[in-house]
Each structure stands twice: as C-alpha cells, then as structure tokens.
Amino acid sequence: MAEKGQGAGPGAGKAGGASLRVAVIGLGNIGLGAACNLLRAPGLDVTGCDLGEAARAAFAAEGGRAVAGAEALPEGTEAVLVCVVSAAQARAALFGPRGAASRLAPGAVLIVSSTMAAADARALAAEAAARGLLYLDAPVSGGAVGAREGRLSVMASGSEAAFAKAAPVLGPIAGKVWKLGDAPGLGTTMKVVHQLLAGVHIAAAAEAMALGIKAGIEPQALYDVVTNAAGNSWMFENRMAHVLEGDDTPRSAVEIFVKDLSLVAELGREVASPVPLAAQAQQLFVAAKGLGQGGRDDAFVIRVWQAITGIALPEKDAS
C-alpha cells in the first residue's frame, strides 16, 4: 500500500498546537536534507545530531540546532529519525551508552532508515518495545536530492500506532510512504532487494561507459545516446553524469554498496535464492575500495575499468 507523503499543517505535530519534539540522528546526505525539511515544517521542534562538526555546522547554517551526541537531545523527545549507515550505528545511537533512549518521552517513535538485515530490524524493534517505545522499520530511497526536495520513497513496516505517531515526520520528507505490513523487517527486506537492483545498475552503467570510452566513443556523446535510447536506466543517467563532470564527491559512496550487496548475499542465502549478478557487482565495488575509492562517489566504481584498461576519464572543471 502506498500513501503520498503529506506535510504537517499548522499545529499538526500535537493536539492543542504544541510542537512535536523531533530528533534527526545522522546529518549526512539523507539526514541533512530530511532535517532541513522538518525544520521548515509547521508544528515540529527539530534537533539534529551528528558526531561530525561539519555536519552540525551545515545544519546550523540552515537555522537548525544540533548536538554531537544523542544523550544531549532535548528531554522528552517524541520522534527520532535515524539516518545512520548500519544496524550497529543505529543501535549505538538509540540504545548505547550515548544513545537517545534516556532522552525520549514514553511512547516515542523510532523511525529507523538505516539499511540493515531484517533480523537486525526485528531485534531493534524488540528492544524498543521493551522500553515502551514504538518502532517503524523505514529505510528510504531517493538520495541526497530526494531528501533535499522532500520526496524520499519510504519503505516502511510497523504497527498502526507507529505509523500514526511517525506521520508528522514522514509527511515533510516523503514523496511516497509504502506500507509493507505490520512486522518490523519487511521494510528492510524491501530495501535490500532494492539495493540489489541499484548496485547492479551502477556497475552495469560503469561497465558500459568504460567499454564505450575504450572503443573510442566520446564520453558526452555516449551519455547522450544512451539516455535517449532503450538501454537507459535511472542509475546510468544519474551516476554517469557524475563521471562526465569528473566529480567524485560522495553523494552515495562506493563502500555503501560493499555493505549493502553483502546484505543482498546474506538474504539470498537465508531464503535459498541465488544472486549471481549482485555477487559480481559487489566484487567490483570491493575492487574499487581496494583501489582507494571506498569513500568516493559510487559512480567511480568505473575506476576499476580505468585501472584495467587505462581509459581516460573526464576531469573536473577547475573553473
């Protein structure tokens, strides 16, 4: 079931017009854009949280306030959007020694958008329930641009109570909220399946671009033809634009797909469904990380082919 995200209207955060106290943990590519949209939404009182000084400064530049540790969030925080990378980071941010749990109001909702295995989501949900907290398993797709524009796709599962409590937070950040069921783990499973496609598409896009360049086709012409032909994909059009610009600033990093395609392989083993294309794509991302590209934009998995074939890639315009 899909629902269009709806922005919270005036006073929508809580009955009587009081502001809903919201925290966003992880002010990276997704979290910063989401936090800025929440900051602009009526009825919400938003605090950001990130260990990185630069991330906190970026949120402050938008008019927000941020803390370095979740233990410093405002007392009585009622909703937490978690935008960290992994299950381990999510657990530490919520339930670790410097976690948010001690700062939360009874019945607060945890909206966890990290990509993880379903078993990890279920374990986090169980710990939340033991503490009297609601849990929404809610990974997202849409990248930094989708987060900034408030049109993330949210793949969510959880109780009706969790969806209801999370609605004022999801509204300003989501283009669509997909309700996948009431059991935590369904959202993360959907995201892992999605990442199979995303990772394979990026690797295939880089392979095609590298082959064309090696065969003598001018990179811009190659891009223009593919993006106006049947072989195009969203990932080719989006990621190979980064290659043409020579800009490896990480919107989503190579090492993310090393992790996420590992989750794909784990899921395949669990349900006895082979994932050979995902396995091969993962090895390409592993090779890119081995070349020192782990922290660079995932489009630059193409540097694996550059290392093998010696192709020249476009360079960033110094002007």
Side-chain angles (χ1 to χ4, degrees):
M1 177 181 179
E3 293 187 355
K4 179 69 175 69
Q6 298 295 324
K14 293 175 70 176
S19 295
L20 185 76
R21 285 162 288 188
V22 178
V24 179
I25 300 179
L27 299 173
N29 288 325
I30 300 293
L32 179 61
C36 288
N37 279 305
L38 294 171
L39 192 65
R40 292 188 286 267
L44 304 180
D45 180 14
V46 183
T47 302
C49 176
D50 200 288
L51 293 174
E53 183 177 352
R56 298 195 303 273
F59 189 48
E62 298 290 336
R65 66 176 181 272
V67 297
E71 81 283 4
L73 290 171
E75 184 75 34
T77 294
E78 297 157 284
V80 182
L81 177 63
V82 181
C83 296
V84 297
V85 170
S86 66
Q89 290 181 1
R91 178 174 292 281
L94 293 171
F95 305 126
R98 299 187 64 192
S102 65
R103 310 298 291 173
L104 303 183
V109 63
L110 311 178
I111 307 163
V112 181
S113 295
S114 309
T115 302
M116 64 181 73
D120 290 321
R122 290 191 290 267
L124 288 173
E127 187 158 357
R131 296 171 181 260
L133 304 171
L134 297 169
Y135 188 95
L136 196 67
D137 178 18
V140 300
S141 178
V145 173
R148 188 167 58 247
E149 295 178 355
R151 53 176 181 82
L152 291 169
S153 290
V154 183
M155 311 165 206
S157 63
S159 68
E160 285 300 321
F163 273 106
K165 190 69 175 281
V169 178
L170 296 178
I173 71 172
K176 281 187 177 180
V177 177
W178 297 91
K179 291 188 173 182
L180 299 170
D182 58 7
L186 295 173
T188 47
T189 297
M190 183 67 247
K191 180 60 184 293
V192 169
V193 172
H194 174 275
Q195 292 303 85
L196 183 160
L197 291 168
V200 169
H201 286 180
I202 293 169
E207 182 174 307
M209 180 68 83
L211 177 62
I213 293 171
K214 180 66 175 179
I217 300 175
E218 194 274 324
Q220 185 67 57
L222 194 159
Y223 179 85
D224 290 343
V225 171
V226 171
T227 55
N228 286 279
N232 192 30
S233 68
W234 190 93
M235 282 300 190
F236 185 98
E237 189 163 348
N238 180 269
R239 296 309 206 266
M240 293 307 101
H242 302 171
V243 172
L244 288 179
E245 295 161 1
D247 183 4
D248 64 2
T249 303
R251 288 80 155 181
S252 174
V254 162
E255 59 194 3
I256 295 294
F257 277 99
V258 174
K259 173 185 75 76
D260 288 1
L261 291 172
S262 292
L263 293 174
V264 172
E266 290 172 14
L267 179 60
R269 284 194 296 271
E270 287 173 13
V271 301
S273 182
V275 287
L277 296 180
Q280 188 167 4
Q282 188 204 21
Q283 290 305 302
L284 293 167
F285 285 103
V286 169
K289 184 174 181 178
L291 290 172
Q293 303 299 308
R296 309 319 302 164
D297 188 87
D298 54 30
F300 286 82
V301 68
I302 197 172
R303 287 185 174 140
V304 173
W305 286 273
Q306 183 182 37
I308 294 169
T309 67
I311 57 172
L313 297 175
E315 296 183 1
K316 190 172 183 178
D317 187 348
S319 65

